Amino acid sequence: MRIVILGAPGSGKGTQAAFIKETYQIAHISTGDLLRAHVRNGTPLGLKAKSVMEAGQLVSDELVLGMLADRLAADDTRNGFILDGYPRNLIQVAALDELLASVGQPLDIAVKLTVPFDIIVGRCEIRFKAEGRKDDNPDVVRERLRIYSDQTEPVVAAYRAAGRLVEIDGVGQVAEITQRIQDTLKPYA
Ligand code: AMP
């Protein structure tokens, strides 16, 4: 199974992707996690990405695509993958389609978690206190939500228009949302 999970920052993508990974034994590829590891390890990519991420902006398409292509080449993607945090804009949608077509592994479906922005802001505040991620600071969250509306909502619209999207209510208990996703994904397993 090859899927992307879409949703605003704090919509629960990472949490739900971890369950999907276990259920279907596929790779969970989070571009945010990969970038944070580069920052932690002080790699050349990490040095370029750090200030951009802390400001809540998007890292350059070219850098993220290169990182993603390397990750998709790893053995653990043979059963499929769930992409979390990519694509973030329309350029990345086209780049992903091209990359996956070149390896004969097209996407099955895009899953979008829908959560109202006021709930998102509250969740990011809780995560800021728990994990201390600089980009969960309320000012930066506002910028990330602005970028989501400007650049990532069109991604959702494009998958919807192409009939490649399922939308799931992302409000409720974690287990309830997991169940909704699993019911939706059954036909693709
Ligand atoms: P996330 O954990 O997905 O919220 O990502 C954290 C940060 O990493 C984002 O705010 C961006 O700065 C950067 N990032 C993650 N994925 C992408 C992407 N696909 N394109 C550009 N920047 C990204």
Side-chain angles (χ1 to χ4, degrees):
M1 186 184 311
R2 294 178 297 273
I3 50 187
V4 302
I5 188 160
L6 300 168
S11 60
K13 297 189 300 291
T15 303
Q16 294 300 334
F19 287 116
I20 295 169
K21 168 193 159 135
E22 288 308 317
T23 306
Y24 298 103
Q25 296 293 302
I26 57 179
H28 172 195
I29 303 179
S30 155
T31 46
D33 284 350
L34 291 173
L35 287 166
R36 280 185 286 277
H38 277 280
V39 171
R40 256 196 322 277
N41 296 329
T43 68
L45 170 56
L47 294 176
K48 286 187 192 136
K50 186 170 188 283
S51 58
V52 179
M53 292 171 73
E54 285 176 1
Q57 314 272 328
L58 295 184
V59 177
S60 94
D61 292 329
E62 198 187 341
L63 291 178
V64 180
L65 180 64
M67 179 184 78
L68 179 65
D70 286 348
R71 179 65 186 86
L72 282 170
D75 274 354
D76 68 338
T77 63
R78 231 176 296 147
N79 247 349
F81 52 79
I82 175 159
L83 273 185
D84 157 13
Y86 195 98
R88 284 281 229 278
N89 59 30
L90 290 174
I91 288 173
Q92 296 185 4
V93 171
L96 179 64
D97 278 342
E98 199 175 307
L99 176 63
L100 295 181
S102 74
V103 290
Q105 305 253 301
L107 279 184
D108 292 308
I109 193 77
V111 175
K112 190 217 166 196
L113 290 178
T114 301
V115 181
F117 276 13
D118 54 338
I119 296 184
I120 295 273
V121 169
R123 285 187 188 173
C124 287
E125 266 175 41
I126 292 169
R127 190 166 67 181
F128 184 52
K129 286 181 188 139
E131 297 174 21
R133 254 177 71 172
K134 285 197 177 133
D135 62 352
D136 280 334
N137 169 304
D139 286 340
V140 182
V141 167
R142 266 193 293 281
E143 176 64 1
R144 290 165 71 204
L145 289 175
R146 191 186 65 74
I147 290 182
Y148 177 80
S149 299
D150 277 7
Q151 304 206 31
T152 313
E153 288 283 7
V155 170
V156 172
Y159 283 123
R160 187 187 292 121
R164 301 167 76 189
L165 184 78
V166 290
E167 295 183 66
I168 290 176
D169 177 6
V171 180
Q173 299 293 317
V174 171
E176 284 167 11
I177 299 162
T178 306
Q179 191 59 52
R180 286 175 206 152
I181 297 176
Q182 292 192 337
D183 291 346
T184 306
L185 288 180
K186 257 187 208 128
Y188 302 95

